[in-house]
Amino acid sequence: KEYGMDIELSEDEDYERADAQDMVNAFGMALSTGIDCPDILVLDDMKAYQMDIGAIAGNGAFTDLGPFLDASALLKREDYLENALACYEYQGQLVGIPCEISLRTIAGRASELGQEPGWTLAELIDYASAHPEGQLFGGAVQGSVLQDCLTLGLDDFLDWDTGQCRFDSEDFRAFLTFAGTFPAEYDYQAESRSNPEMIQAGDVLLYQARINDFYGIQEHQAMFQGPVVYIGYPAAEGSGCIAECSGALAISAKSRNPEAAWEFVEYYLERASKWRASFPTRKAVLDRQMEAAVTVSYYLDEEGNPLLDAGGNPVPKSLGGYAWSVGSESTMYRTATKEEVSCIKELIGAARPVSVAEGRIMDIIREEAQPFFLGQKSAEEAADIIQSRVQNYLDER
């Protein structure tokens, strides 16, 4: 559904899930014992199977790549964005080096939210309450509000350093009550407009943006009909921008020849920027991408001269574009401004990842909030159960 496709699951879905879990369990056993364990591991695939890389790293399953990177003649630690490396740093060890980074954040009208990114969960609730005529997000329902508002907002209710949580607090009960005011389901058939079109009309307040280049900001400005602030997901501190890093390879701690494995990883990383589909994590490559974004490029003929249009003007290369609904006229991107590029660069520098542990805590919250949404439990009862289950998870982890 997320990509506009209807996918019909087979009747053997439960068996397929069981097979997948069996594979995950077998792979975990190989990591811990070294039996049939590959030397090089693709961390993207491990994340796709919801494997807790942080917990696995804590059990000593990965080789620390820090010393290899520090000794490399091709790469240097300072070549990379610090927060990109931090995505794969656990207990002082660097288990992977990502080559790409993309962003997820929340955009809104700067005229209403101000120019500075970052807000708390309480501030988001106040903003929604002040605009009862508009949907918070397009298609917002109880479950999505719960997910979207707590994506980075978990820090309001737990302390990762001490392993203690407070989901039984008045603040969390108030948030559950807020999420419960939204419908259980959204009637997509009753709305023919796209999400951006509803934002432009003022019927939707915020937009959950995925940013992979320096041009999408133009679309966001168009839908909000003016300056945009990337206010971010609610968070106790910081911009609330999520970093999604990819392209990282790890080396098993059980590898018989980690030096040879590193040679391959180093070779891959040195060339990986050529294959990127998002922002590169190497600073020099990102700087070149930023410079290209503000430079007009033209189509050239076989002799290297600019192609001219009917008026005799050079034809600029297409930068892509957007259309908000089927049949609507597409709008082409223009060359980015330095201000737009600077805005995105700041978001890249401030972004932080969401860990698998946070995802599993969200699973607990979603599961135990459902009886409250159905009227089977009070907010206090649901919050107490969430508190107990999350605390048990933190203790075990």
Side-chain angles (χ1 to χ4, degrees):
K1 285 289 188 180
E2 183 178 353
Y3 300 101
M5 297 181 292
D6 290 323
I7 300 174
E8 184 178 349
L9 297 176
S10 72
E11 295 179 358
D12 297 328
E13 177 185 351
D14 290 339
Y15 293 104
E16 291 169 2
R17 289 177 177 171
D19 288 344
Q21 188 58 52
D22 287 343
M23 288 190 292
V24 170
N25 293 340
F27 185 60
M29 182 64 69
L31 275 175
S32 61
T33 63
I35 300 175
D36 295 327
C37 182
D39 293 271
I40 298 173
L41 313 166
V42 181
L43 293 179
D44 289 355
D45 290 347
M46 295 178 67
K47 287 193 295 184
Y49 279 97
Q50 292 294 296
M51 300 185 74
D52 191 338
I53 295 174
I56 295 171
N59 290 329
F62 301 114
T63 296
D64 183 7
L65 301 186
F68 288 99
L69 181 60
D70 293 335
S72 173
L74 297 177
L75 305 171
K76 295 182 175 60
R77 187 183 293 265
E78 56 267 27
D79 291 344
Y80 288 87
L81 298 170
E82 293 180 7
N83 57 337
L85 294 183
C87 286
Y88 291 104
E89 285 182 337
Y90 304 98
Q91 300 179 17
Q93 290 193 333
L94 180 64
V95 305
I97 303 170
C99 58
E100 290 186 304
I101 182 171
S102 60
L103 308 175
R104 280 199 295 131
T105 187
I106 291 176
R109 288 182 175 82
S111 59
E112 295 178 355
L113 296 169
Q115 301 290 337
E116 294 299 320
W119 58 351
T120 64
L121 189 57
E123 289 171 335
L124 179 144
I125 294 174
D126 288 344
Y127 177 68
S129 300
H131 298 78
E133 73 287 351
Q135 298 180 48
L136 188 61
F137 306 108
V141 294
Q142 293 167 344
S144 66
V145 170
L146 197 71
Q147 173 74 44
D148 298 334
C149 292
L150 287 182
T151 296
L152 292 180
L154 289 176
D155 288 349
D156 283 345
F157 306 107
L158 61 83
D159 187 324
W160 292 101
D161 293 331
T162 65
Q164 299 298 309
C165 60
R166 57 180 198 93
F167 291 99
D168 54 354
S169 65
E170 181 60 37
D171 288 344
F172 185 73
R173 292 195 293 269
F175 169 66
L176 271 184
T177 302
F178 168 73
T181 63
F182 290 81
E185 296 181 352
Y186 186 79
D187 186 2
Y188 287 95
Q189 299 299 323
E191 179 57 70
S192 60
R193 296 173 299 170
S194 67
N195 192 29
E197 288 171 322
M198 289 190 289
I199 290 172
Q200 192 172 46
D203 296 326
V204 169
L205 302 175
L206 302 170
Y207 182 68
Q208 297 181 77
R210 291 182 178 271
I211 303 175
N212 300 305
D213 56 45
F214 293 105
Y215 306 107
I217 188 173
Q218 298 171 37
E219 180 182 0
H220 305 153
Q221 291 169 344
M223 71 175 69
F224 285 103
Q225 298 178 302
V228 171
V229 59
Y230 292 106
I231 191 73
Y233 289 89
E237 57 184 25
S239 72
C241 184
I242 297 172
E244 294 186 335
C245 291
S246 59
L249 302 178
I251 298 175
S252 168
K254 303 294 184 179
S255 172
R256 297 180 182 178
N257 195 339
E259 290 78 14
W262 167 253
E263 285 185 23
F264 177 84
V265 172
E266 184 181 50
Y267 175 90
Y268 162 77
L269 289 172
E270 205 273 330
R271 290 158 177 78
S273 60
K274 300 177 182 178
W275 313 319
R276 66 181 184 275
S278 188
F279 299 111
T281 57
R282 292 177 68 180
K283 296 176 183 176
V285 183
L286 179 61
D287 287 342
R288 290 197 295 270
Q289 193 180 76
M290 290 169 55
E291 183 177 351
V294 298
T295 303
V296 181
S297 325
Y298 299 98
Y299 287 110
L300 305 177
D301 60 21
E302 295 179 354
E303 297 178 357
N305 300 313
L307 292 175
L308 305 180
D309 60 19
N313 300 308
V315 180
K317 286 186 178 179
S318 173
L319 299 175
Y322 60 91
W324 291 337
S325 62
V326 176
S328 65
E329 184 177 345
S330 63
T331 302
M332 302 306 295
Y333 294 132
R334 54 166 169 73
T335 301
T337 66
K338 291 182 178 180
E339 291 75 16
E340 290 166 349
V341 168
S342 178
C343 173
I344 301 303
K345 184 181 180 181
E346 289 181 10
L347 288 177
I348 294 172
R352 78 168 182 85
V354 175
S355 69
V356 171
E358 289 170 298
R360 292 187 176 173
I361 290 174
M362 278 305 309
D363 289 341
I364 294 172
I365 294 172
R366 281 193 299 268
E367 181 179 337
E368 298 302 341
Q370 195 60 29
F372 165 67
F373 293 152
L374 294 173
Q376 299 169 351
K377 285 185 171 66
S378 67
E380 183 174 0
E381 290 172 326
D384 287 345
I385 295 174
I386 291 170
Q387 169 69 17
S388 177
R389 287 193 60 189
V390 173
Q391 190 61 64
N392 286 340
Y393 170 76
L394 292 172
D395 292 343
E396 292 170 1
R397 189 173 183 269

